[in-house]
């Protein structure tokens, strides 16, 4: 299954869709200048455990890197994903208050 991820800035989120356009998941964010806070990742139940969350995370982080942004990973899924992907360490804001 091929997943395509696109940034939808007017909705402040990245959207993952299948080849036929079926929504598979979203990763929401809040952008303030050069700082982007990733707030929530949601994968549709029928696409869980198929790598959609990881695909969203990588696309969002690669987008932030290409734009020179600092990332605040509020989303628990993204925070956990980043613990395994140290290639993004330099972009992460290390001091922030977690919001639950």
């Amino acid at each position: 299954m091929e997943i395509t991820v696109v940034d939808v800035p007017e909705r402040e989120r990245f959207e993952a869709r299948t080849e036929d356009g079926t929504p598979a998941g979203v990763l929401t964010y809040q952008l303030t200048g050069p700082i982007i806070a990733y707030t929530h990742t949601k994968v549709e139940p029928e696409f869980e455990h198929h790598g959609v969350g990881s695909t969203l995370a990588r696309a969002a982080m690669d987008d932030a890197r290409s734009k020179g942004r600092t990332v605040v990973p509020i989303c628990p899924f993204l925070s956990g994903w980043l613990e395994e992907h140290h290639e993004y360490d330099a972009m992460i804001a290390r001091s922030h208050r977690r919001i639950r």
Side-chain angles (χ1 to χ4, degrees):
M1 167 177 51
E2 187 170 326
I3 297 293
T4 301
V5 176
V6 295
D7 184 11
V8 185
E10 64 275 10
R11 298 187 77 186
E12 293 188 310
R13 68 190 203 171
F14 287 88
E15 296 180 352
R17 295 184 178 271
T18 63
E19 295 167 346
D20 68 0
T22 302
V26 298
L27 191 156
T28 60
Y29 62 81
Q30 294 176 347
L31 180 62
T32 305
I35 299 171
I36 190 161
Y38 291 124
T39 56
H40 182 68
T41 303
K42 179 181 186 308
V43 174
E44 295 301 324
E46 63 269 29
F47 296 104
E48 289 179 353
H49 309 293
H50 290 91
V52 173
S54 293
T55 301
L56 278 163
R58 185 169 304 283
M61 292 302 295
D62 287 347
D63 183 76
R65 181 179 0 209
S66 74
K67 294 174 179 166
R69 293 184 172 145
T70 299
V71 172
V72 179
I74 295 170
C75 168
F77 173 82
L78 183 64
S79 293
W81 186 86
L82 286 167
E83 288 177 11
E84 301 297 320
H85 294 86
H86 297 285
E87 64 269 28
Y88 299 106
D89 283 354
M91 304 167 49
I92 309 300
R94 292 293 173 200
S95 331
H96 66 278
R97 185 174 57 114
R98 287 195 178 252
I99 299 172
R100 296 187 188 238

